[in-house]
Amino acid sequence: MSSVERTAPAAALASALTETAVAIEALLEALLQDKPEAGEIHRPARLLAAMRHGALAGGKRLRPFLVVETAKLFGVPVEQALRAGAAVELAHCYSLVHDDLPAMDDDDTRRGRPTVHKAFDEATAILAGDGLLTLAFDVIADQRTHPDGETRAAIILQLARSLGLGGMVGGQMLDLAAEGRFSDDGAPGRLSEAEIRRMQAMKTGALLAGSVLIGARLGQADATRMAALERYGKSLGAAFQVADDILDIEASPEQMGKATAKDDAKGKATLVAALGLPAAKRERDRLSEEAIMALAEFGSEAAMLRAAAEFTAQRKS
């Protein structure tokens, strides 16, 4: 079976990504409205503006796309899938706002615009990130996301595990440590290839894989299908991070919408540094193929998810 036969055409994927991104944008606009929700007292204008700056008008919305496309495999109503996808995107945007802070990666631009701490200030950016993360769990806990309380609890647990101590936040800490932030001499640490893979599986891969599993949990997938989708998500997440490391070397700031060539300057632990650029590209492609093969039992219904794995490896921004 050729890649053309087993995946959706690139134009179809681009159209589906755009359709989901437009729907997510509209939902985020509604969630970040001025009017307080029931149980809220007041929404401070400056904080709301900063949250909107960090969450709206940006990105490919790949993570909510993965939620929506996975949920489709199980016949989940699109309104529910979009709400879960919006929650994942809110959590992702929180991570970007905090990651851009001077104490973290210290970036001035994100998606071609000033980062939140540059457009506002550091304190507001910290609170904006806090607000986006909290709103993510607010959205999932709402009955409109799924009528079954156990299903909502499973999604909340999945998102928390993807984001937290043993997931993205823990991975960020390992990344900072690898830069030498906490060593006496400030020299970058030397991580083994296995340690780099673990760090990247936590920092980036956990939320990408979690997006797939959230879609599956919305559809109350059985254990066999859940395991297949977990394999897909983990391979996709790993491929995404290797591709990102390659783009940091090869892409321009205009393509990426942010500064590039920073990883090597900071001594970051990447598979590009560990393996070399040609081998890293081969590993990226291997991981993408591994993700595609994990979806074998889903047949043509998973064509978009397969195409997403190809896109992840071949993207230019």
Side-chain angles (χ1 to χ4, degrees), residues 177 180-188:
R181 294 285 191 98
F182 315 117
S183 62
D184 291 338
D185 60 3

Side-chain angles (χ1 to χ4, degrees), residues 6 17 27 35 43 54 61 64 105 108 116 126 148 214 221 223 237 244 249 266 310:
R6 63 188 177 180
L17 278 165
L27 184 49
K35 182 181 177 182
R43 291 187 163 192
R61 310 298 192 191
D105 269 4
D108 293 344
V116 176
I126 292 168
D148 178 59
I214 284 170
D244 216 45
I249 294 173
K266 287 189 172 185
E310 288 190 342

